[in-house]
Amino acid sequence: MEKKWWKECVVYQIYPRSFKDSNHDGIGDILGIIEKIDYLVWLGVKAVWLNPVYDSPNDDMGYDIRNYEKIMAEFGSMADFDKLQCELHKNGIKLIMDLVVNHSSDEHHWFVESKKSLDNPYRDYYIWRKGFKNKEPNNWSSFFTPSAWKYDELTDEWFLHLFSEKQPDLNWENPTLRNEIYQMINRWFDKGVDGFRMDVINLIAKKPGLPNGTKNSSDKYVFSDEHFAMQPKLTDYLTEMRKNCFENRDCMCVGETPFVTTQNANSIVDSNSLLDMIFHFELMDIDGLNGKWNVIPFDILKFKKMMISWQKALPWNSLFWSNHDQPRTVSRFGDDSSEFNRTQSAKMLGVCLHLLKGTSFIYQGEEIGMTNVAFSSKSEIRDIESIQFLKNAENGNFVDYAWNGILKKGRDNARTPMQWDDSNQAGFSDVTPWIIVNPNYKMINVASQMKDEFSVLHFYKKLITLKTSSNALVYGDFETIDIDNPDFFIYSRQDEFEVYYVICNMTKIERVLLIKEDILSNEIVLANYDNKSKTFLPFETRVYKMIKR
Ligand code: TEU
Ligand code: CA
């Protein structure tokens, strides 16, 4: 297997708005990130992915970009950015930027122009259509709103937006637009960034003719990913982008790709090497039935089979439990009902996922086991997806259901400030922040865990060191053991010199391990209990190492 720096590092995801506020306005910023570089170095991460830091009216917290080459004023200046990049590089940390090119903000000058007239040179940068019998051009619904179309009176046409009304989709069929995007990407590379996480990149090609969706076609609006995800044209665009931007650069590109499957992932990653790796959504969708809000219990066997199928399907995977769009890992997949279970399950989950084969992404706060937030009213919610969902719920009379869903799955769970210490506002800021601090910050924070060698934080540091210092854990083969065991996830990673055995009791109950392999006589290199017996305690995990002779 080809060696690459991005296979050998753990990536730390920073949501800048909620990481550290340096200038007392309650909003995290770039200078705040710089203050915390020592922490990143201590933790052992070798790359940082920043959520969008570009100029934006923040309808969708930076995923609606007004200017791709200007820094959001609340976050600082381009000089601050340059300083951050320089400081990170000095400390051996790569910088991965977010690339949001399925859509822009409606305040981007391209769209401001595009709206002006049918013959404006920028008209074709976006997807405009005549109405169908005075209604939307088709029945597509969007991620955030009932219809994916918005009417514009001036030219009597509608524009497509797969996300909010302030996020019009860019028209990738237009070669001039594509070229502008490639040049913009190259200017960021010329500044020195090391790669991109590409937002919903598999949605950029839409099916020609934009046909009506057919799922539940009795509904007025239909979610029609069959017409906008993984379309044939996508590989053409990615091939062109790779040629123009990524080829001959030592960079990393990871595509965020909803709806991708183990069957079709190979068309955009791997042999065609269009993308280095992808974020698929199968793990994120595992506890939802027909959509994220209908929450069903986490099924361990289903989880194992799914992870194994991805390990087998692709030579290289991305590994993540959470991100800025998802609830907190320990609340969702572990157990946050007691301090003991929170700590043990957070450690077990860390081992269980991050020692698989692939590049690990750790979302800020995961390393201290931050939890979901007990929001108490609508006024505390900031996320456009949750706000729109509540609005629909009010109209449709299902507010209790919606609120329950938001507490469990809402994106704001991941967006409350990083909990640095037990001082006011968790050491994030000294004024009231843009979103509430999780009230549990006095108990769960970086400072207290730094002092406790048995904390989740110290465990994560060891886990990161273990993973990144072992060839077998980076490049080694993956095999499962006792695949049908409903309680344990057991696998091995090995190269020609070493074998690692990873054993996780994924349940909150003591379990006896019955397997024919003799694993337990090997050396333990990482564990969350001091225990060597066959009886695994609640959420117990052990990593064994065997030297081959
Ligand atoms: O997310 C894409 C995406 O598929 C999400 O909308 C996801 O389905 C949703 O968050 C689950 O609730 C990316 C960004 O990560 C997200 O923050 C943006 O809102 C979205 O794209 C639009 O840019
Ligand atoms: Ca600030």
Side-chain angles (χ1 to χ4, degrees):
M1 169 164 294
E2 208 187 337
K3 299 208 164 181
K4 294 279 185 193
W5 62 262
W6 45 263
K7 293 179 179 171
E8 295 171 13
C9 68
V10 167
V11 184
Y12 189 83
Q13 182 190 346
I14 291 182
Y15 195 68
R17 179 166 290 268
S18 300
F19 195 59
K20 178 73 175 86
D21 172 23
S22 75
N23 64 343
H24 326 285
D25 65 354
I27 297 174
D29 46 58
I30 291 174
L31 294 180
I33 300 173
I34 296 176
E35 286 176 28
K36 296 296 181 185
I37 290 180
D38 288 351
Y39 173 71
L40 302 176
V41 170
W42 176 84
L43 195 56
V45 297
K46 292 280 159 38
V48 158
W49 152 31
L50 291 186
N51 283 106
V53 292
Y54 314 99
D55 176 41
S56 163
N58 286 312
D59 190 53
D60 184 19
M61 295 305 166
Y63 282 93
D64 46 323
I65 298 175
R66 185 162 50 201
N67 185 335
Y68 288 96
E69 291 171 70
K70 205 173 145 205
I71 298 295
M72 191 187 305
E74 292 164 327
F75 290 178
S77 64
M78 193 55 91
D80 296 344
F81 174 85
D82 292 341
K83 184 163 177 224
L84 172 65
Q85 177 176 273
C86 176
E87 294 295 315
L88 286 171
H89 284 167
K90 251 199 258 168
N91 284 285
I93 299 176
K94 305 270 188 188
L95 177 56
I96 311 299
M97 300 292 281
D98 220 305
L99 180 74
V100 190
V101 290
N102 173 70
H103 45 268
S104 74
S105 163
D106 65 343
E107 298 180 29
H108 193 293
H109 86 91
W110 294 340
F111 192 75
V112 174
E113 286 299 318
S114 187
K115 261 179 92 152
K116 284 185 179 163
S117 67
L118 293 171
D119 58 1
N120 186 285
Y122 290 93
R123 184 68 175 182
D124 200 35
Y125 273 39
Y126 294 86
I127 303 172
W128 292 97
R129 291 291 184 275
K130 289 260 165 273
F132 178 70
K133 297 189 179 159
N134 287 326
K135 287 195 314 234
E136 294 87 353
N138 72 21
N139 68 356
W140 296 5
S141 69
S142 93
F143 282 80
F144 296 155
T145 55
S147 167
W149 295 93
K150 189 172 184 208
Y151 179 64
D152 191 57
E153 222 162 71
L154 187 68
T155 54
D156 184 33
E157 285 195 343
W158 303 69
F159 68 86
L160 180 72
H161 61 90
L162 291 182
F163 293 89
S164 91
E165 289 183 358
K166 285 183 65 61
Q167 294 169 295
D169 280 54
L170 288 160
N171 177 21
W172 275 74
E173 286 185 13
N174 180 339
T176 319
L177 176 261
R178 296 205 299 275
N179 220 1
E180 289 224 41
I181 290 174
Y182 304 150
Q183 285 173 30
M184 175 272 288
I185 293 173
N186 282 329
R187 284 191 292 271
W188 280 101
F189 275 129
D190 293 345
K191 279 183 82 65
V193 306
D194 302 291
F196 289 96
R197 171 271 188 191
M198 299 149 89
D199 193 61
V200 289
I201 198 66
N202 64 328
L203 310 189
I204 58 177
K206 277 73 177 175
K207 183 167 284 173
L210 310 180
N212 276 326
T214 50
K215 274 190 240 163
N216 309 315
S217 50
S218 57
D219 294 353
K220 187 165 176 207
Y221 302 112
V222 175
F223 200 79
S224 309
D225 51 288
E226 76 272 24
H227 297 323
F228 59 72
M230 300 301 283
Q231 297 300 305
K233 274 265 174 189
L234 174 65
T235 49
D236 298 349
Y237 298 151
L238 291 178
T239 307
E240 190 184 72
M241 193 194 285
R242 176 154 276 269
K243 262 216 184 74
N244 280 278
C245 306
F246 302 112
E247 224 168 55
N248 306 320
R249 287 188 201 272
D250 185 21
C251 62
M252 163 185 134
C253 34
V254 43
E256 189 212 23
T257 52
F259 318 107
V260 74
T261 64
T262 48
Q263 278 83 47
N264 64 17
N266 280 290
S267 65
I268 52 171
V269 79
D270 176 24
S271 53
N272 296 299
S273 59
L274 297 174
L275 300 171
D276 296 322
M277 59 189 142
I278 52 168
F279 294 143
H280 69 74
F281 275 66
E282 282 194 8
L283 173 54
M284 296 298 109
D285 293 341
I286 198 166
D287 55 356
L289 189 67
N290 303 322
K292 71 186 270 181
W293 303 117
N294 214 355
V295 187
I296 55 172
F298 176 51
D299 178 334
I300 294 170
L301 266 181
K302 192 165 133 196
F303 163 76
K304 284 171 53 175
K305 301 227 150 112
M306 194 258 298
M307 296 312 281
I308 294 165
S309 72
W310 281 97
Q311 289 283 300
K312 304 272 171 200
L314 297 178
W316 200 259
N317 276 278
S318 69
L319 307 168
F320 65 101
W321 273 126
S322 177
N323 58 44
H324 64 291
D325 291 335
Q326 301 296 333
R328 288 290 179 176
T329 308
V330 70
S331 306
R332 184 181 191 180
F333 301 115
D335 181 355
D336 65 4
S337 65
S338 73
E339 184 54 11
F340 184 81
N341 282 2
R342 182 187 72 80
T343 301
Q344 295 301 22
S345 63
K347 293 176 181 176
M348 181 278 293
L349 290 169
V351 167
C352 165
L353 180 81
H354 294 302
L355 295 185
L356 291 169
K357 187 171 187 171
T359 302
S360 289
F361 290 78
I362 294 176
Y363 180 64
Q364 66 181 48
E366 175 183 328
E367 76 278 22
I368 55 170
M370 276 177 65
T371 67
N372 279 353
V373 187
F375 292 108
S376 59
S377 81
K378 198 169 116 180
S379 64
E380 290 174 347
I381 300 300
R382 297 286 176 272
D383 166 34
I384 182 169
E385 183 188 50
S386 295
I387 290 170
Q388 295 282 356
F389 181 49
L390 271 179
K391 203 160 103 188
N392 298 343
E394 279 159 8
N395 295 334
N397 250 326
F398 53 94
V399 174
D400 288 348
Y401 168 81
W403 187 251
N404 182 46
I406 286 168
L407 290 179
K408 288 206 175 98
K409 289 287 210 50
R411 307 198 294 183
D412 282 337
N413 281 303
R415 299 180 179 183
T416 60
M418 182 68 187
Q419 292 161 210
W420 293 107
D421 58 38
D422 64 2
S423 67
N424 265 348
Q425 315 303 347
F428 163 73
S429 177
D430 46 18
V431 301
T432 306
W434 70 278
I435 187 171
I436 61 163
V437 172
N438 192 326
N440 65 19
Y441 72 93
K442 288 205 189 279
M443 189 174 72
I444 303 172
N445 62 67
V446 171
S448 69
Q449 294 196 20
M450 275 278 181
K451 283 184 249 159
D452 171 8
E453 62 168 313
F454 298 107
S455 62
V456 179
L457 180 60
H458 276 273
F459 190 87
Y460 256 75
K461 180 179 161 68
K462 286 183 207 145
L463 174 62
I464 293 168
T465 309
L466 176 67
K467 173 156 195 180
T468 53
S469 58
S470 151
N471 185 73
L473 287 172
V474 176
Y475 293 107
D477 294 336
F478 162 87
E479 286 305 330
T480 49
I481 295 163
D482 199 11
I483 196 168
D484 295 316
N485 192 316
D487 307 317
F488 284 93
F489 191 17
I490 313 171
Y491 60 88
S492 68
R493 300 290 316 281
Q494 62 179 301
D495 64 7
E496 46 183 327
F497 305 111
E498 307 174 324
V499 191
Y500 287 85
Y501 294 103
V502 176
I503 306 182
C504 299
N505 171 7
M506 297 197 71
T507 75
K508 60 171 153 203
I509 297 167
E510 218 176 85
R511 306 271 181 192
V512 178
L513 180 68
L514 300 168
I515 46 169
K516 48 183 195 311
E517 289 84 351
D518 170 34
I519 298 177
L520 307 194
S521 61
N522 292 298
E523 177 201 0
I524 297 177
V525 290
L526 187 64
N528 58 348
Y529 289 88
D530 182 14
N531 177 21
K532 294 194 165 104
S533 83
K534 282 197 312 214
T535 304
F536 279 68
L537 298 164
F539 299 115
E540 179 163 1
T541 181
R542 291 179 217 160
V543 183
Y544 289 91
K545 176 178 169 176
M546 192 186 92
I547 312 269
K548 290 185 182 176
R549 37 180 106 228

